[in-house]
Amino acid sequence: MINIVVVSHSAQLARGVEELARQMMRGDGCKLVLAAGVDDAEHPIGTDAIKVMEAIESVADGAGILVLMDLGSALLSAETALDLLDPQLAAKVRLCSAPLVEGTLAAVVAANSGAGLEQVLAEAQGALLAKQVQLGEAAPAVKSVELPLTHGKSVSWTVQNPHGLHARPAARLAETLAPFDTELVLEKQGQCANPRSLNQLALLQVRHGDTVRLIADGPQAEQALAAFRTLAEQHFGETVSEQQLPSLHGIPVAESVTSGPVLQALSFWPTVTERPIGADDVLTEQQRLREALQHTLGDLGRLAERTGTLIGKPQAAIFGAHSMLLDDPDLQQAAYTRIAQQQCSAEQAWRQEMEVIIEDYRALDDEYMRARELDVRDMLRRTLSHLQQQPLLPITLTAPSILVMDELMPSDVVMLDRRLVLGICLSGGNALSHSAILAKAMGIPMVVGMNDCMSKTRSGQKAMLDAARGVLQLSH
C-alpha cells in the first residue's frame, strides 16, 4: 500500500483536495492524510514541519509514502520533517513536485489500484500533461503501448456519459481493471492508452458518443473484458439520463427525409476455422477452392443480371468488374501455390491473397479507389461462404423500416426489397463505396459513418432519417 500526504498552506484548500480525491477512492487501497495550515486563529495560513512529520508517521504502515506540497515553504517544511523522521521511515518517503490538485488525484487513483511507489510518483508527475495537450501546449500523441491491436480479445463500447470519461468515471475504470493479470489497451480511433492510468485515460480525451475498445491479452483477459462491460453498462459509476435521446449524425449519401421503425441487422461473415493440412490434401484443397470460385463467379453473374434489370447496366458493371478480378488466372494460381507451399487450407490461402489486395486498396491516395476495398471483402466473404457451405442469406424486412447496420456489402444492397427499406444508416461505410452508389441509384436514403447508431438504437424504435443532413432523430 502506498499512502499519500497532502501539505498545504491552507487547511481549507487541503480539505477541498481531499474531498476531490476521495471521490476517486472506492476502496482501502491507500490512506490520504493532511498536514495543512498552522494553529494560529489570526494567521492560519502556513505550514508546520511537526505537523508534516506527524502526518507521515500516521501512515507509516504503508510500503511507501508520497508527499505532495503546494508552495515553496511547504517544500521546506516537508524537507525538515524528513530530517526529523526515523531514518528507516524517511527512506520510504518521496517528495513530489507535481501540482497539488492534479497530482494528488492521479496519485490516489494509482495508489488505490495497487501501484508501487515509483509508479504512483510517475502518475502524479504526469498529471498536467492532459491539460497541456488540450490547451495546445504539448504534443497531442498518446504514449504508445506495447500490446499490438491485432493481439488479444476485445470489447467495444460507445460512451454515453454526458461529459465522457472525465476524472471520476476514468478513476472507476482504472480501479476496476487494476486487479487483473492481463495486458490491457484502451483504443479510440487508433490512439491507445493504458486504461489503468488516469493520466493516459485523460490523454485519450474520450467524449460523449466516442467509441472505445478495450483489448486484453493474458490469463485473465476474459475476466477483465467482462468487468469492463459490466462497468460500461453502469456508465462507469455515473447516472445517465435517457429523458432526451440523442440525434445521431453521419455523412449523407442521398438527400431525403423519411420516418419509420428501426430494424437493426448485423453483417454476416462465415465462421472459418483454420486447420493445417497434409501433403496428401493439397490437391483436394485446390479443387475445393476452384469449385468455390466457380460458384462465386456464378453468383456475381446473377447479381449483375439482377442489378441490370432493377437499376441499369452501368450499375450492373460493378459486379462485372468483380468477376474480372476474381477470374484473374494469376490471382487464382497464387492461391493454389500458397496451398501447396504452406500446406494450408483453401480458406486460409484465399483469405491471405485477398487481404493483400485489400491492403493495397487501403493504401491508395485516391479516396474513390480506397473505397474499393469493400468490393474485395465482399468477394472474399462470398467465396468463404461457399467453402464453408454457409449460404449468404438476404437481409429480410417484414415491414417498412430504417435499416441500421455496422456495414453493408454491395451484393447485400442489390438484394434488398426496395419497397421495405425506408433508409439505411451505417456505423461505418464510405460515401464513395459501391454500396453507397447502388443505394443512391435505388433511391434509398443512406447515411454512413454514424459511429454510434448500433449502440444507441434498437429494433422497433421510431426514428426520422434526414439523409440530407446526415441526421437520425430518435424517439422513445
Side-chain angles (χ1 to χ4, degrees):
M1 176 189 296
I2 305 302
N3 295 326
I4 313 292
V5 175
V6 171
V7 180
S8 173
H9 283 68
S10 168
Q12 187 174 356
L13 172 61
R15 286 193 294 270
V17 173
E18 180 186 26
E19 183 180 1
L20 278 174
R22 293 205 180 279
Q23 291 188 39
M24 310 294 156
M25 300 168 60
R26 290 181 51 82
D28 56 359
C30 76
K31 295 177 182 178
L32 174 65
V33 295
L34 310 179
V38 294
D39 296 329
D40 185 336
E42 293 186 4
H43 305 285
I45 302 299
T47 58
D48 182 341
I50 300 300
K51 269 192 173 183
V52 178
M53 180 189 71
E54 291 173 345
I56 294 172
E57 289 176 336
S58 72
V59 291
D61 58 336
I65 301 165
L66 191 70
V67 180
L68 294 105
M69 303 139 289
D70 55 7
L71 303 175
S73 60
L75 174 58
L76 294 175
S77 294
E79 289 177 328
T80 302
L82 283 184
D83 292 336
L84 297 174
L85 286 172
D86 178 273
Q88 288 187 335
L89 176 56
K92 298 198 298 183
V93 179
R94 295 292 298 274
L95 304 185
C96 179
S97 61
L100 188 67
V101 177
E102 293 91 341
T104 301
L105 299 187
V108 162
V109 171
N112 205 52
S113 299
L117 181 57
E118 294 304 317
Q119 186 178 348
V120 173
L121 175 63
E123 281 291 299
Q125 290 174 330
L128 273 185
L129 184 57
K131 186 186 295 184
Q132 291 168 332
V133 168
Q134 192 163 350
L135 293 176
E137 298 173 1
V142 175
K143 181 181 177 181
S144 62
V145 288
E146 296 299 323
L147 180 63
L149 295 184
T150 53
H151 289 184
K153 301 176 181 179
S154 67
V155 62
S156 297
W157 180 260
T158 299
V159 175
Q160 300 170 37
N161 302 54
H163 302 294
L165 289 185
H166 62 97
R168 281 193 304 273
R172 286 292 308 279
L173 178 57
E175 175 191 312
T176 297
L177 296 178
F180 296 104
D181 178 17
T182 186
E183 294 182 84
L184 294 171
V185 170
L186 192 70
E187 180 261 341
K188 186 199 85 170
Q189 297 178 349
Q191 286 188 309
C192 299
N194 175 4
R196 296 181 172 111
S197 165
L198 187 64
N199 295 335
Q200 288 273 301
L201 290 172
L203 282 169
L204 273 187
Q205 298 184 33
V206 179
R207 298 183 172 90
H208 171 81
D210 286 345
T211 297
V212 294
R213 181 165 65 113
L214 183 69
I215 307 156
D217 186 25
Q220 294 186 309
E222 294 282 2
Q223 296 94 314
L225 294 175
F228 171 79
R229 178 172 289 281
T230 298
L231 183 63
E233 290 172 351
Q234 297 169 354
H235 303 298
F236 305 95
E238 292 195 317
T239 300
V240 174
S241 172
E242 296 185 359
Q243 293 180 353
Q244 291 186 336
L245 293 175
S247 296
L248 309 180
H249 297 261
I251 302 168
V253 173
E255 297 186 1
S256 178
V257 177
T258 186
S259 61
V262 166
L263 175 67
Q264 278 200 359
L266 294 174
S267 57
F268 172 78
W269 272 85
T271 302
V272 178
T273 303
E274 302 293 353
R275 54 185 177 81
I277 67 169
D280 295 340
D281 300 320
V282 168
L283 292 178
T284 301
E285 291 301 306
Q286 291 174 337
Q287 182 60 27
R288 286 182 64 238
L289 179 56
R290 190 173 291 108
E291 292 174 357
L293 292 173
Q294 289 304 311
H295 287 309
T296 304
L297 287 168
D299 291 346
L300 293 173
R302 288 185 287 274
L303 286 165
E305 183 177 353
R306 175 183 173 87
T307 305
T309 302
L310 294 178
I311 310 175
K313 288 185 178 179
Q315 290 76 24
I318 291 172
F319 297 103
H322 290 189
S323 295
M324 290 179 62
L325 189 152
L326 199 70
D327 205 23
D328 180 0
D330 291 339
L331 174 62
Q332 294 183 7
Q333 185 57 51
Y336 300 145
T337 301
R338 189 182 291 271
I339 292 172
Q341 292 180 346
Q342 297 185 5
Q343 292 191 3
C344 61
S345 67
E347 290 88 343
Q348 185 175 348
W350 187 243
R351 172 178 280 167
Q352 291 177 359
E353 291 298 331
M354 295 296 273
E355 284 179 347
V356 170
I357 300 175
I358 290 167
E359 291 305 317
D360 286 344
Y361 273 115
R362 288 174 174 168
L364 294 174
D365 293 331
D366 185 272
E367 186 176 358
Y368 179 85
M369 292 304 298
R370 284 202 304 272
R372 302 287 77 80
E373 63 91 18
L374 185 66
D375 301 69
V376 184
R377 288 198 290 121
D378 195 0
M379 288 181 278
L380 170 61
R381 181 186 68 151
R382 190 166 290 275
T383 306
L384 291 176
S385 75
H386 285 298
L387 285 168
Q388 292 291 301
Q389 298 183 351
Q390 299 175 25
L392 298 178
L393 300 177
I395 299 165
T396 303
L397 289 79
T398 58
S401 304
I402 298 171
L403 185 61
V404 175
M405 297 186 66
D406 50 351
E407 69 174 357
L408 191 62
M409 298 292 181
S411 63
D412 290 329
V413 175
V414 297
M415 296 304 295
L416 292 172
D417 186 339
R418 174 65 188 90
R419 299 166 300 174
L420 299 180
V421 183
L422 300 175
I424 299 171
C425 295
L426 303 181
S427 61
N430 188 313
L432 298 177
S433 71
H434 279 143
S435 295
I437 291 169
L438 289 167
K440 187 173 184 179
M442 293 171 69
I444 301 176
M446 187 176 186
V447 176
V448 300
M450 190 173 282
N451 295 326
D452 40 12
C453 65
M454 291 296 287
S455 63
K456 291 190 176 179
T457 62
R458 63 181 185 278
S459 292
Q461 183 177 23
K462 299 293 184 181
M464 182 179 72
L465 176 62
D466 185 346
R469 297 191 300 126
V471 176
L472 181 67
Q473 181 69 51
L474 303 172
S475 61
H476 291 282

